[in-house]
């Protein structure tokens, strides 16, 4: 019988693995918005998003609601790593009947305790400013928190059952009681002064304030937590973060820092949030039935809440003595122990306490002490009885420790998986009667959790007063984060644009567009609105072979694009331009280009054909016809002589004549923006806008000829190359330029130029972020204010980092750490979260400004055509648009808001500078054939 009883209290390793898996499943249920209500492991968000960093300082009041007492503490932190906090406390016993009375009476009593405690301990000197005392409220009952300072009680437990509290915000109940008590104290003071007694006589021992007419303090409840969270925060005070806490006491619970984006029941999605698992209810759905012994069943049936908190009833010290008592009753009935003696005393509930169990288990001196304990209870044990009772006690305690270890293993494996780590190293704070009273608890907790989760390496830290000191830390961290949030918002506020700001940008863009289209005002317009002489987009009837030449740097491409009924096929080759030719004469440069075209046509067996060619020439030009453009200046390292001011199409034709090459006819010169529109226009006839958002930014669109004052003729439409990167060069956007933008602009090769582009394009966003990070470091909002030499280097923060950092889920924070290591930055997890916010702010503004510009374009097109609703497609290209995880969504969402009467579709371009240029040639050939 004894062996059977011991076996029933011992859970095999395979079963523990299954239990761990069930708990992880229930944790996921509890975190999901859809399944939260069905989960037994409640996974309640605590809205605690950071652990202490050692800089916290000030005075913090704590009120803890205990079993039959109210404990008040005043904790002073000095910002010294929190190594030596000063603490004063007082315990107040609750009056009889208050646990089952009205809720108002309970909170009024707590407020009276606070008032009396402060009257004996606080003066203006201890409060510093003498005005504000933040209070952390330890409320060890199950609550649904929606903010750090807002929590509705879900249910009472631990013998409490006050009316009018369940479903109410307990923080507000306490704050109201404190405010009511404050008024009462003021009234007592005034009455005392009127009677000539003064404030001192109102409260015995109170120190009066010379500088403040009323109290020297105002109490504000800023945080609510349970003791488990407090335990974690206390253990984070030792200069090393603690991210898990277990309370193994009368009840049992665990909390841990989860990835915030997984906590679907809370709005917070960035960084991490402490989750209160409330794992005591694990198994209430029957998941523990096969390990629930007859002794557990008896304990459960005799409890005040049968069928509830079944895991807690197997591990909590409130129940361990009772489990042993029922095991001894069963064994006595089976005549395995206490034969021939009266064991009726065991039938009395509560007679065998957890302390008895601990005393028996911890006894290493044979059975003498065991015998004494049993005899004190009124039993007459034999030596064999003493040994068997000790075995049962050890089995019950060992099982409790093992189940705690299984729960911890589930938490650790979940953290390791959701952080995408191969190995998790984490500190675990532990507190409670079972931990402190049972010497083998720590050994079992570590050994079993490592067997179940070998990928995790927990270090146990003993908590010191988690519900008191730890609660002060929660409050202190909350205030530190609130102060940091205000400072961060102050830095980022100029970059956060309102709808009114964006509407103004849209209106200014429209004004500049109209100026650029008008012949008289074009010279002074910042948006040049250059005619491209492209009058049609593809209509799908284009057929034939077309060449494209894409010249924009040291490498250039030659392509052949074959357009058939079945679609488009392409072949291309890349050629290099040697530096000597780039910087030689114009004849040498264009002769080299023709040689490469001849080589390409020969390889493609196209030499005998005269093919139309579209020429993408990515240098500043003044276009005066579809096939005529004057080079304004060389860029990108080119300096070939005899080209500036010349028609580049003619230079190419002259080179072909010199080489006697008749296999091509240059019919169009285009830029990449127009090419993008044309490439997408082949797939979607409604594509009449081109947009580039990459290293630079630009847009083009089909304008009514009657509005293009810089070109003769009123019939039809023409594609306008806006060159909108220069929008704002006349000062009209100065109100949007922040300190960071000005610094970036001043360090470019063209200060004061391309100002719109410098707010939007990929070439500059990384630099803007770097400037913000420097200011935040200086203000000690990042990296604890430590100087970062590498961050001082221009262009060290690449725009591609923004894409990596802004990936929407929490795993990206690991990638942020890799970037920070590359920059030699010593960053905390909170630094990573803040860096992501900076990147999100900068890229969001870029997308919104781009949308405001585009809104001006689509609204102008709609008005031009006299439509109530415009449907149009934008062909779009560029690495920022294509690769950034949020840019395209933010752009489209903002555009929809600013131009609600326009239905805009975005189509990603494939090779606008190659395929698009060939299609310009194809459309031009189609138009020429139609005229013939």
């Amino acid at each position: 019988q004894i062996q059977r009883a011991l076996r029933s209290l011992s859970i095999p390793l395979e079963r523990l693995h299954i239990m761990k898996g069930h708990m992880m499943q229930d944790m996921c249920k509890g975190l999901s918005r859809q399944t939260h209500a069905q989960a037994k492991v409640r996974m309640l968000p605590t809205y605690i998003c950071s652990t202490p960093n050692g800089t916290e300082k000030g005075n913090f009041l704590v009120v803890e609601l205990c079993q039959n007492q109210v404990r008040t503490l005043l904790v002073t932190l000095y910002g010294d790593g929190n190594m030596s906090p000063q603490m004063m406390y007082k315990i107040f016993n609750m009056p009889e009947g208050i646990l089952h009375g009205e809720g108002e009476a309970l909170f009024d009593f707590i407020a009276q305790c606070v008032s009396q405690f402060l009257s004996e301990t606080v003066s203006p000197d201890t409060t510093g400013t003498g005005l504000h005392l933040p209070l952390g409220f330890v409320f060890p009952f199950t609550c649904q928190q929606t903010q750090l300072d807002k929590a509705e009680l879900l249910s009472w437990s631990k013998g409490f059952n006050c009316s009018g509290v369940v479903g109410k915000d307990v923080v507000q109940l306490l704050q109201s009681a404190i405010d009511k008590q404050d008024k009462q104290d003021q009234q007592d003071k005034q009455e005392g002064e009127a009677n000539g007694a003064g404030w001192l006589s109102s409260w015995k021992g109170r120190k009066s304030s010379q500088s403040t007419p009323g109290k020297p303090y105002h109490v504000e409840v800023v945080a609510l937590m349970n003791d488990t969270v407090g335990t974690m925060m206390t253990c984070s005070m030792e200069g090393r973060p603690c991210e898990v806490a277990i309370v193994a006491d009368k009840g049992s619970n665990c909390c841990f820092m989860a990835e915030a984006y997984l906590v679907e029941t809370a709005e917070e999605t960035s960084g991490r949030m402490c989750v209160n698992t409330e794992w005591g209810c694990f198994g209430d759905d029957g998941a523990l039935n096969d390990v629930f012994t007859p002794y557990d069943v008896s304990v459960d049936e005799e409890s005040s809440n049968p069928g509830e908190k079944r895991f807690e009833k197997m591990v909590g010290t409130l129940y361990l003595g009772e489990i042993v008592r029922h095991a001894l009753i069963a064994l006595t009935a089976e005549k395995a122990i206490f034969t021939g003696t009266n064991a009726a005393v065991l039938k009395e509930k509560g007679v065998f306490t957890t302390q008895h169990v601990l005393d028996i288990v911890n006894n290493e001196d044979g059975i003498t002490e065991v015998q004494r304990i049993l005899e004190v209870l009124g039993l007459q044990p034999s030596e064999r009885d003493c040994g068997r009772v000790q075995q049962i006690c050890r089995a019950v305690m060992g099982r409790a420790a093992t189940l705690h270890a299984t729960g911890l293993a589930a938490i650790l494996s979940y953290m390791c998986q959701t952080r995408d780590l191969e190995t998790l190293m984490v500190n675990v704070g532990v507190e409670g009667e079972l931990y402190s009273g049972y010497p083998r608890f720590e050994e079992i907790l570590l050994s079993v959790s490592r067997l179940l989760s070998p990928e995790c390496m927990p270090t146990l830290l003993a908590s010191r007063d988690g519900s008191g000191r730890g609660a002060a830390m929660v409050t202190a961290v909350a205030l530190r984060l609130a102060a940091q949030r205000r400072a961060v918002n102050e830095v980022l506020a100029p970059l956060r644009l309102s709808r009114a700001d964006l509407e103004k940008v849209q209106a200014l863009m429209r004004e500049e567009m109209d100026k650029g289209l008008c012949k008289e005002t074009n010279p002074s317009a910042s948006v040049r609105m250059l005619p491209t002489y492209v009058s049609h987009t593809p209509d799908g009837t284009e057929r034939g072979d077309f060449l494209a030449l894409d010249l924009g740097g040291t490498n250039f491409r030659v392509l052949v694009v074959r357009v058939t009924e079945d679609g488009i096929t392409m072949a291309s080759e890349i050629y290099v331009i040697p530096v000597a030719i780039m910087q030689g004469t114009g004849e040498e440069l264009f002769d080299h280009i023709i040689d490469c075209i001849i080589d390409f046509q020969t390889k493609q067996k196209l030499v005998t054909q005269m093919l139309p060619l579209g020429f993408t020439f990515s240098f500043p030009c003044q276009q005066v016809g579809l096939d005529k453009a004057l080079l304004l200046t060389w860029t990108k390292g080119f300096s070939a002589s005899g080209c500036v001011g010349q028609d580049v199409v003619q230079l190419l034709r002259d080179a072909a004549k010199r080489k006697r090459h008749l296999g091509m006819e240059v019919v169009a010169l285009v830029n990449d923006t127009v090419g993008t529109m044309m490439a997408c226009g082949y797939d979607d006839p409604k594509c009449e806008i081109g947009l580039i958002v990459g290293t630079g930014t630009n847009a083009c669109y089909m304008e009514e000829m009657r509005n293009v004052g810089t070109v003769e003729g009123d019939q039809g439409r023409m594609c306008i190359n806006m060159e909108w990167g220069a929008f704002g060069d006349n000062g009209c956007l100065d109100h949007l330029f922040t300190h960071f933008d000005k610094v970036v602009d001043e360090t470019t090769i063209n200060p004061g130029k391309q100002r719109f582009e410098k707010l939007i394009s990929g070439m500059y966003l990384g630099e803007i972020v770097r400037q913000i990070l420097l200011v935040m470091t200086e203000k000690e909002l990042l990296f604890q204010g430590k100087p970062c030499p590498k961050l001082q280097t221009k262009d060290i923060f690449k725009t591609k980092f923004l894409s990596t950092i802004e990936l929407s889920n929490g795993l990206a924070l690991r990638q942020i750490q890799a970037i920070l290591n590359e920059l030699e930055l010593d960053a905390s997890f909170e630094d990573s979260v803040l860096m992501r916010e900076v990147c999100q702010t900068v890229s969001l503004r870029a997308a919104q400004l781009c949308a405001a510009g585009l809104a001006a374009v689509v609204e102008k097109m709609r008005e031009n055509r006299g439509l109530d609703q415009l449907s149009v497609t934008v062909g779009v290209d560029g690495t920022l648009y294509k690769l950034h995880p949020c840019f395209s969504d933010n752009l489209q969402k903002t555009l929809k808001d600013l131009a609600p009467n326009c239905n805009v579709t975005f189509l990603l371009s494939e090779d606008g500078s190659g395929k698009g240029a060939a299609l310009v040639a194809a459309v031009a050939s189609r138009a020429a054939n139609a005229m013939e």
Side-chain angles (χ1 to χ4, degrees):
Q1 296 98 323
I2 289 291
Q3 289 307 314
R4 189 167 64 245
L6 293 174
R7 274 198 303 274
S8 72
L9 290 164
S10 174
I11 305 172
L13 185 62
E14 299 77 28
R15 182 62 183 85
L16 295 177
H17 273 292
I18 294 168
M19 191 185 300
K20 172 194 161 187
H22 283 160
M23 185 171 277
M24 290 178 73
Q25 288 171 9
D26 221 17
M27 287 165 61
C28 293
K29 266 193 201 174
L31 289 170
S32 166
R33 192 177 284 109
Q34 284 75 30
T35 56
H36 173 76
Q38 291 87 51
K40 296 304 176 186
V41 181
R42 297 298 302 278
M43 304 298 283
L44 302 174
T46 67
Y47 295 86
I48 292 164
C49 299
S50 180
T51 54
N53 67 4
T55 64
E56 294 82 9
K57 55 178 147 183
N59 296 288
F60 304 94
L61 187 59
V62 173
V63 171
E64 180 187 2
L65 191 56
C66 307
Q67 197 75 29
N68 299 301
Q69 298 171 326
V70 171
R71 190 165 73 125
T72 54
L73 300 92
L74 185 65
V75 181
T76 305
L77 301 172
Y78 297 99
D80 58 353
N82 303 319
M83 301 306 288
S84 54
Q86 180 184 327
M87 297 173 65
M88 293 183 281
Y89 71 92
K90 183 167 183 174
I91 293 173
F92 298 86
N93 292 318
M94 285 192 200
E96 274 187 43
I98 205 165
L99 275 65
H100 298 91
E102 293 182 3
E104 186 178 1
L106 172 66
F107 286 97
D108 283 349
F109 176 73
I110 296 172
Q112 288 163 20
C113 296
V114 170
S115 181
Q116 186 175 337
F117 173 64
L118 292 178
S119 73
E120 297 169 4
T121 55
V122 171
S123 71
D125 295 335
T126 56
T127 55
T129 62
L131 291 175
H132 180 248
L133 256 184
L135 182 146
F137 186 22
V138 183
F139 190 72
F141 303 97
T142 305
C143 290
Q144 181 69 56
Q145 274 187 265
T146 51
Q147 294 174 26
L148 188 56
D149 60 351
K150 187 174 177 60
E152 290 184 5
L153 176 64
L154 296 179
S155 62
W156 286 113
S157 58
K158 303 171 188 174
F160 280 75
N161 192 19
C162 298
S163 63
V165 182
V166 172
K168 299 281 182 64
D169 177 6
V170 291
V171 173
Q172 188 54 53
L173 291 175
L174 178 58
Q175 187 68 60
S176 298
I178 288 172
D179 292 345
K180 184 167 73 173
Q181 183 65 40
D182 190 46
K183 285 180 184 173
Q184 183 63 51
D185 291 347
Q186 294 292 337
Q187 190 178 334
D188 290 348
K189 173 182 180 290
Q190 289 163 5
E191 288 174 3
E193 287 174 345
N195 294 330
W199 192 22
L200 276 169
S201 64
S202 300
W203 283 101
K204 188 180 176 183
R206 175 171 293 175
K207 300 170 185 175
S208 65
S209 166
Q210 300 300 315
S211 59
T212 316
K215 286 188 174 186
Y217 53 81
H218 167 66
V219 176
E220 181 187 0
V221 188
V222 300
L224 177 136
M225 73 231 70
N226 66 11
D227 50 354
T228 319
V229 175
T231 294
M232 185 183 77
M233 298 300 265
T234 302
C235 292
S236 292
M237 294 173 70
E238 313 300 333
R240 46 192 175 175
C242 176
E243 296 189 277
V244 186
I246 293 175
V247 170
D249 206 70
K250 288 182 175 58
S252 176
N253 198 10
C254 181
C255 69
F256 71 101
M257 295 300 287
E259 306 304 301
Y261 77 98
L262 294 170
V263 188
E264 294 181 5
T265 50
E267 295 301 314
E268 184 64 48
T269 58
S270 186
R272 290 178 184 150
M273 180 183 287
C274 180
V275 170
N276 169 23
T277 64
E278 290 290 343
W279 72 9
C281 295
F282 176 56
D284 288 4
D285 57 356
L288 296 176
N289 283 358
D290 61 320
V291 294
F292 219 58
T293 67
Y295 325 128
D296 299 307
V297 172
S298 297
V299 171
D300 182 41
E301 288 171 350
E302 288 182 3
S303 70
S304 61
N305 54 348
E308 296 177 15
K309 297 217 166 188
R310 301 188 84 190
F311 183 73
E312 182 166 278
K313 286 169 185 170
M314 297 174 77
V315 301
T317 59
L318 191 62
Y319 306 99
L320 298 183
E322 281 295 286
I323 296 171
V324 170
R325 182 176 72 85
H326 279 287
L328 298 183
I329 289 171
L331 289 168
T332 302
E334 293 172 355
K335 296 188 168 36
I337 55 173
F338 303 132
T339 53
T341 67
N342 183 2
V345 66
L346 290 174
K347 302 234 172 132
E348 185 184 330
K349 185 179 177 184
V351 71
F352 208 96
T353 66
T354 295
Q355 191 56 54
H356 290 135
V357 179
L358 287 169
D359 291 342
I360 289 170
V361 166
N362 295 337
N363 172 48
E364 300 294 336
D365 304 324
I367 59 166
T368 309
E369 180 64 16
V370 180
Q371 185 172 350
R372 187 193 67 77
I373 292 167
L374 295 175
E375 285 175 351
V376 168
L377 289 172
L379 296 164
Q380 296 176 321
S382 66
E383 188 173 324
R384 190 184 69 166
D385 291 339
C386 292
R388 291 183 169 181
V389 168
Q390 193 171 43
Q391 282 181 291
I392 294 295
C393 288
R394 284 177 177 159
V396 169
M397 296 301 281
R399 185 184 70 160
T402 298
L403 290 173
H404 274 101
T406 306
L408 176 61
I411 301 284
L412 297 179
S413 286
Y414 178 82
M415 290 173 71
C416 193
Q417 287 173 20
T418 54
R419 295 183 185 186
D420 195 27
L421 299 174
E422 290 181 9
T423 304
L424 173 72
M425 301 186 72
V426 67
N427 290 327
V428 179
V430 195
E431 188 170 33
E433 185 181 7
L434 191 59
Y435 172 66
S436 59
Y438 179 38
R440 288 204 62 216
F441 182 85
E442 181 171 339
E443 173 199 334
I444 295 170
L445 194 67
L446 283 174
S447 61
V448 174
S449 65
R450 283 178 182 164
L451 277 173
L452 295 174
S453 300
E455 77 281 14
C456 303
M457 301 287 289
T459 300
L460 301 188
L461 303 175
S463 171
R464 288 181 286 167
D465 190 18
S467 54
R469 186 173 165 185
M473 291 311 309
V474 173
T475 311
V477 169
L479 290 180
R480 171 173 63 79
L481 292 180
Q484 183 190 55
R485 173 47 43 201
R486 288 191 295 273
V488 167
N489 287 344
E490 191 178 323
V491 172
L492 297 180
L495 295 117
R496 290 175 169 151
L497 304 180
S498 66
R499 194 177 194 281
D501 292 328
L502 296 172
E503 286 172 344
K504 186 173 181 182
V505 172
Q506 180 181 349
L508 287 168
M509 177 68 85
R510 176 61 185 269
E511 281 179 31
E512 291 298 307
M513 288 170 70
D514 290 340
K515 276 188 194 173
L517 288 171
C518 176
K519 189 174 184 179
E520 290 73 27
T521 53
N522 174 272
S524 64
S526 65
V527 180
R528 295 295 308 281
M529 304 296 283
L530 304 174
T532 66
Y533 298 88
V534 172
S535 301
H536 300 88
T537 54
D539 64 4
T541 64
E542 295 79 11
R543 299 288 182 272
D545 292 345
F546 304 92
L547 290 173
L549 173 61
D550 178 12
L551 177 62
T554 53
N555 295 335
F556 73 99
R557 287 186 307 155
V558 184
L559 306 90
V560 61
V561 177
R562 181 161 290 127
V563 185
T564 66
E565 284 184 13
D566 298 326
I568 290 178
T569 56
M570 295 191 297
S572 67
E573 190 158 340
I574 295 174
Y575 295 91
V576 176
I577 302 177
V579 174
I581 291 179
M582 285 169 60
Q583 299 172 358
T585 67
E587 281 194 4
E588 289 170 343
L589 172 62
F590 284 94
D591 283 354
H592 175 71
I593 290 169
I594 291 295
D595 285 339
C596 294
I597 292 173
I598 293 169
D599 175 73
F600 178 77
Q601 285 189 267
T602 303
K603 288 176 180 175
Q604 297 292 326
K605 298 184 172 57
L606 297 170
V607 179
T608 57
Q609 301 179 49
M610 169 76 81
L611 297 180
L613 182 143
F615 186 9
T616 300
F617 188 72
S618 299
F619 298 91
C621 287
Q622 180 188 351
Q623 199 154 353
V624 290
L626 182 60
D627 61 350
K628 188 174 177 67
L630 308 179
L631 176 64
L632 298 176
T633 180
W634 282 118
T635 57
K636 306 173 189 178
F638 281 73
S639 59
S641 61
C643 298
V644 174
Q646 300 298 309
D647 174 8
V648 291
V649 173
Q650 194 55 48
L651 292 175
L652 190 62
R653 286 171 176 162
D654 291 345
K657 281 182 187 173
R658 285 193 298 274
K659 295 286 182 178
R660 296 178 182 172
H661 180 55
L662 305 175
M664 52 161 253
E665 178 189 7
V666 187
V667 297
L669 183 137
V670 298
N671 73 1
D672 53 356
T673 316
V674 177
T676 294
M677 181 186 77
M678 297 297 274
C680 292
Y682 180 82
D683 298 314
D684 183 349
K686 288 200 296 186
C687 183
E688 296 185 86
I689 302 172
L691 174 67
I692 302 282
V693 196
T695 308
T697 184
N698 194 16
C700 68
Y701 73 103
M702 297 302 289
E703 178 60 87
E704 308 302 310
M705 275 296 292
R706 65 177 183 272
N707 295 330
V708 185
T710 51
V711 175
E712 296 297 322
D714 288 340
Q715 297 302 308
R717 294 171 182 157
M718 180 179 286
C719 179
I720 297 295
N721 168 23
M722 294 178 68
E723 289 294 341
W724 78 2
F727 175 42
D729 287 4
N730 59 359
C732 68
L733 293 181
D734 284 1
H735 65 288
L736 288 182
F737 257 61
T738 66
H739 159 77
F740 313 112
D741 300 311
K742 289 169 187 168
V743 172
V744 170
D745 180 40
E746 286 162 5
T747 56
T748 60
I749 57 170
N750 55 346
K753 304 291 184 188
Q754 297 293 106
R755 301 195 79 190
F756 191 56
E757 182 167 88
K758 286 170 185 173
L759 298 173
I760 291 176
S761 76
M763 181 175 280
Y764 306 100
L765 297 190
E767 263 302 278
I768 296 170
V769 168
R770 185 179 74 87
Q771 292 299 331
I772 297 170
L773 298 183
L774 287 172
V775 168
M776 285 191 165
T777 306
E778 189 182 319
K779 290 180 178 287
E780 298 186 359
L781 298 172
L782 274 173
F783 318 127
Q784 294 192 334
K786 294 172 187 168
C788 311
K790 206 160 182 182
L791 202 55
Q792 303 285 342
T793 310
K794 186 176 183 291
D795 295 326
I796 194 77
F797 198 95
K798 309 293 183 191
T799 295
K800 68 177 181 180
F801 291 169
L802 274 76
S803 295
T804 303
I805 285 171
E806 286 188 60
L807 286 169
S808 58
N809 68 40
L811 300 183
L813 290 166
R814 271 187 68 219
Q815 294 164 305
I816 297 177
Q817 288 290 342
I819 291 168
L820 294 172
N821 292 339
E822 189 178 325
L823 297 175
E824 297 173 12
L825 296 171
D826 182 17
S828 67
F829 181 83
E830 282 76 18
D831 290 335
S832 300
V833 174
L834 185 49
M835 277 187 66
R836 182 157 68 180
E837 183 179 354
V838 171
C839 293
Q840 286 169 338
T841 303
V842 171
S843 72
L844 173 62
R845 183 186 67 156
Q848 288 175 328
L849 288 171
C850 189
L854 209 49
V857 172
V858 295
E859 276 296 310
K860 186 175 194 319
M861 292 175 73
R862 185 182 69 81
E863 290 173 21
N864 284 348
R865 300 174 189 189
L867 299 172
D868 293 330
Q869 194 79 24
L870 172 74
S871 288
V872 68
T873 297
V874 178
V876 60
D877 202 352
T879 50
L880 185 60
Y881 185 93
K882 284 183 171 179
L883 301 181
H884 190 282
C886 312
F887 190 94
S888 58
D889 285 346
N890 289 331
L891 167 61
Q892 292 174 38
K893 180 182 172 187
T894 308
L895 178 60
K896 195 170 185 179
D897 185 45
L898 294 175
N901 296 321
C902 300
N903 180 22
V904 183
T905 303
F906 286 80
L907 186 60
L908 283 177
S909 167
E910 294 175 26
D911 194 16
S913 54
K915 174 181 165 184
L919 282 166
V920 172
V923 171
S925 299
R926 186 195 78 207
N929 292 338
M931 286 184 72
E932 286 174 11

